[in-house]
Amino acid sequence: MRKNSPEPAASRLRDLGSHQLVFDEREVVQLLRAAIKREGNQVAFAKRHGLERSHLNMVLNGKRPVSSNIVKALKLRKVYAIDRHQ
């Protein structure tokens, strides 16, 4: 791409990053619910991943945000995306 391209900076970024699934916080909680169901229950999931069951419950009930330990247990990673809604 030319250095002095007249395109806006954000449009030049389309070739950066990878094209993968992106989840918001609500969708990560849905993934957590499905993972807990596959595991059997919150206690089993918490034990398997070294998490506190009470913390899982608070996340599921919207009282706490998804923690990095839960993200790791779900085999996800945090990424940053351009907010096109601003």
Side-chain angles (χ1 to χ4, degrees):
M1 187 171 290
R2 294 187 322 239
K3 190 172 186 176
N4 295 326
S5 174
E7 296 178 15
S11 67
R12 287 180 285 186
L13 296 176
R14 68 178 163 256
D15 296 330
L16 296 177
S18 53
H19 302 280
Q20 297 182 19
L21 294 174
V22 177
F23 304 107
D24 63 19
E25 183 97 356
R26 180 185 50 79
E27 293 166 323
V28 173
V29 171
Q30 288 177 327
L31 292 173
L32 176 60
R33 286 184 195 287
I36 289 170
K37 186 174 181 178
R38 282 191 306 275
E39 197 69 39
N41 57 47
Q42 291 179 27
V43 172
F45 185 87
K47 281 184 180 180
R48 177 176 172 88
H49 297 286
L51 302 168
E52 293 289 328
R53 192 223 36 96
S54 59
H55 179 72
L56 280 178
N57 191 273
M58 288 188 280
V59 170
L60 293 169
N61 289 305
K63 295 179 180 179
R64 295 277 188 265
V66 175
S67 67
S68 59
N69 289 335
I70 291 174
V71 169
K72 185 176 179 181
L74 294 173
K75 295 184 170 67
L76 299 174
R77 64 184 169 130
K78 290 185 180 185
V79 297
Y80 298 91
I82 294 172
D83 186 353
R84 299 199 188 272
H85 299 288
Q86 288 186 359

